[in-house]
Amino acid sequence: MKLRNLLLLSLLSLLFAYGCADGSNMGTNACGGIGPLEHIPGDECGDCGQYVCDGSETLKCDDPGTNACGGCIPLTHQPGEVCGNCGTYVCSGNDAVKCDDSASASDSCSNNGNNNGSNNGNNNGSNNGNNNGSNNGNNNGSNNGSNNGTDTNACGGTATLPHQPGESCGDCMFYECDGSDNVVCTDTSNACGGCDPLPHQPGDSCGTCGSYACAGLNSVVCANDNINACGGCSQLPGTPGDHCGDCGTYECDGSDALRCDDPGSNACGGCSQLSATPGDHCGTCGTYACSGLDSVVCANDNTNACGGCSQLPTSPGTTCACGEGAWHCSGTDALTCAGAVSDTSAATRLRNYDDGDNSESNIVVSTMYPPDGDSADWWYFWYEDETFSNMELELWLNSPSGIDYDMCVYFQSSAMDGCSAGTYSIFSDVEGCCGDHVKFILDSAGDGSGWVYIRVYYVSGSATCDSYDIDAYF
């Protein structure tokens, strides 16, 4: 019954050591390799041998051969070794020895007694006389013979032993001396259920991360010597290279731990490195924009109508300054209102007037729109001094409601002699008068004919396309 239980225990140890119990290591063989083995470590081979791992893919027969008695269990003593007084060990079956001390009654032991008695008797007899010889001879012979010839047991004592050292007393159990006059039954079974001494105990560390496990009844192998992916022995919570965090991967942190190396997501929310940063300039006028989570494209690479990148307020060619001009490109990113120039180069000529025309209404009716660059208008006409008429020059400016325009009138004539209405002013060496109402003081002597220049300009108020007008009296 005990042997059967030990065999069952050994089999269970093998199952757990090689992963057959739970299927966790079904991919490796009993020696830690991946190829099939022809035998199981621990199987019997040869006379007294067992198969043991020879590397991870092969086995070899480890056979010490039979003992001197023809069995497989190591003997406590070798046959022929001296025991007792005159005895020697002899085989007691195939796997045990006993002390055969029967030779103590043989001629060898009796001769020693006789010789000692005879020698001592003869010697003493010859030296001391017959009586002493008889006595000493008998005494010495008797004493020495009987003392030297007395049997000793296999343990060195004089008592008769119930069993001889080395005799079997059960499965893996043998008698051995307990002092000089007694024997005890000693259990030599090992932790794997066999009888042979094991080179290592199951559970002892081996290799880098393994521990010894039973491989049969009388041998052990290094099992579960599995190094993790970081070179340590602890079970890792994941595998180096596996995804973690937003965009990270696990990497080894020492030999028995992992850490998440996570750079975070890119500017588009993905994990790949972008070829450019969203918002950076591209093309002529474009900027990079996300195209999905992991790429960018050059977006809005559109030039305006003038060839630039800025957004224009309107399209070139559309009217400006209340219809007086049209928008033209001014470079690649701006427009200018052409046709509404606020200097003398764009002055508009009116018809000729003379001092006989007297009162004239609305000699000018026009508009002005400062936000479009139209902040002044120039007008001019020829004023003729007739021979038989009184020479006068007086003008009124009528501004639209909510806005304030002003006017300056310059008279390029020798008759100019000051202002009776308005403020005196000079423009390019030409004298004139400024105000909403201007009137010249003229010298009638000589010819007073000349060019009259009118400048209307913005002073304040909200821009409007309502027209202003000028009335005149000549």
Side-chain angles (χ1 to χ4, degrees):
M1 178 64 73
K2 180 178 179 182
L3 178 60
R4 184 174 62 187
N5 290 339
L6 289 174
L7 288 172
L8 179 59
L9 177 62
S10 176
L11 178 59
L12 289 176
S13 298
L14 272 174
L15 290 175
F16 283 105
Y18 295 101
C20 296
D22 58 5
S24 61
N25 290 322
M26 290 300 290
T28 58
N29 60 39
C31 292
I34 59 174
L37 301 174
E38 295 182 359
H39 302 278
I40 297 175
D43 284 353
E44 294 181 356
C45 64
D47 291 328
C48 296
Q50 294 177 338
Y51 285 105
V52 296
C53 295
D54 186 18
S56 61
E57 304 293 343
T58 58
L59 298 171
K60 66 179 180 179
C61 183
D62 183 12
D63 186 6
T66 59
N67 59 37
C69 293
C72 295
I73 298 176
L75 301 174
T76 57
H77 297 280
Q78 292 301 309
E81 289 182 5
V82 175
C83 63
N85 185 43
C86 297
T88 57
Y89 285 104
V90 296
C91 292
S92 177
N94 291 330
D95 292 305
V97 292
K98 65 181 180 178
C99 184
D100 182 8
D101 201 14
S102 59
S104 59
S106 68
D107 293 339
S108 173
C109 286
S110 64
N111 287 335
N112 289 335
N114 292 334
N115 290 337
N116 289 335
S118 167
N119 291 336
N120 290 334
N122 293 335
N123 290 336
N124 290 332
S126 65
N127 291 331
N128 295 323
N130 291 332
N131 291 333
N132 288 337
S134 170
N135 291 336
N136 289 339
N138 291 336
N139 290 339
N140 289 339
S142 169
N143 291 339
N144 291 340
S146 93
N147 287 341
N148 290 337
T150 299
D151 288 341
T152 57
N153 62 39
C155 293
T158 59
T160 302
L161 300 176
H163 299 279
Q164 291 301 308
E167 287 184 10
S168 175
C169 54
D171 294 333
C172 300
M173 303 176 75
F174 301 91
Y175 287 106
E176 63 180 30
C177 293
D178 180 23
S180 62
D181 289 312
N182 192 30
V183 290
V184 293
C185 184
T186 302
D187 187 356
T188 63
S189 60
N190 60 44
C192 292
C195 299
D196 295 346
L198 298 175
H200 301 280
Q201 292 303 306
D204 288 351
S205 297
C206 60
T208 301
C209 301
S211 60
Y212 286 104
C214 293
L217 299 178
N218 293 301
S219 64
V220 291
V221 293
C222 188
N224 300 318
D225 190 14
N226 302 316
I227 302 173
N228 65 37
C230 294
C233 299
S234 300
Q235 183 175 1
L236 300 176
T239 302
D242 283 354
H243 175 81
C244 63
D246 292 329
C247 298
T249 54
Y250 283 114
E251 64 179 24
C252 294
D253 185 14
S255 61
D256 287 305
L258 297 175
R259 69 181 183 89
C260 184
D261 182 16
D262 187 5
S265 57
N266 60 38
C268 293
C271 295
S272 299
Q273 184 175 359
L274 300 176
S275 58
T277 302
D280 285 354
H281 176 80
C282 61
T284 302
C285 299
T287 55
Y288 286 106
C290 293
S291 177
L293 298 177
D294 292 305
S295 63
V296 292
V297 294
C298 188
N300 302 317
D301 190 16
N302 305 314
T303 56
N304 61 38
C306 295
C309 299
S310 300
Q311 184 176 1
L312 299 175
T314 187
S315 299
T318 57
T319 60
C320 58
C322 301
E324 291 184 12
W327 290 108
H328 288 195
C329 292
S330 177
T332 59
D333 289 305
L335 297 174
T336 185
C337 185
V341 184
S342 300
D343 56 35
T344 56
S345 64
T348 301
R349 182 172 178 172
L350 305 175
R351 72 177 183 87
N352 294 339
Y353 292 96
D354 59 48
D355 53 9
D357 288 330
N358 297 321
S359 179
E360 289 283 343
S361 297
N362 299 333
I363 65 170
V364 171
V365 178
S366 186
T367 59
M368 190 162 45
Y369 198 76
D372 289 350
D374 182 20
S375 58
D377 289 339
W378 283 88
W379 310 87
Y380 71 101
F381 61 88
W382 177 259
Y383 181 59
E384 183 70 28
D385 181 13
E386 295 290 341
T387 303
F388 300 105
S389 299
N390 291 327
M391 188 175 183
E392 293 184 34
L393 185 57
E394 187 175 6
L395 294 91
W396 292 265
L397 171 64
N398 302 305
S399 299
S401 177
I403 194 165
D404 182 21
Y405 295 149
D406 213 342
M407 174 179 66
C408 289
V409 181
Y410 301 98
F411 187 26
Q412 193 174 20
S413 169
S414 59
M416 171 63 184
D417 199 20
C419 302
S420 59
T423 303
Y424 179 79
S425 177
I426 296 178
F427 179 79
S428 296
D429 296 330
V430 179
E431 297 179 295
C433 303
C434 296
D436 291 341
H437 173 215
V438 298
K439 185 176 181 180
F440 289 87
I441 300 173
L442 301 174
D443 185 359
S444 60
D447 185 4
S449 301
W451 291 102
V452 177
Y453 297 92
I454 304 172
R455 178 176 179 258
V456 179
Y457 59 94
Y458 168 80
V459 177
S460 64
S462 300
T464 179
C465 285
D466 292 343
S467 61
Y468 66 88
D469 63 76
I470 299 174
D471 298 330
Y473 184 81
F474 303 103

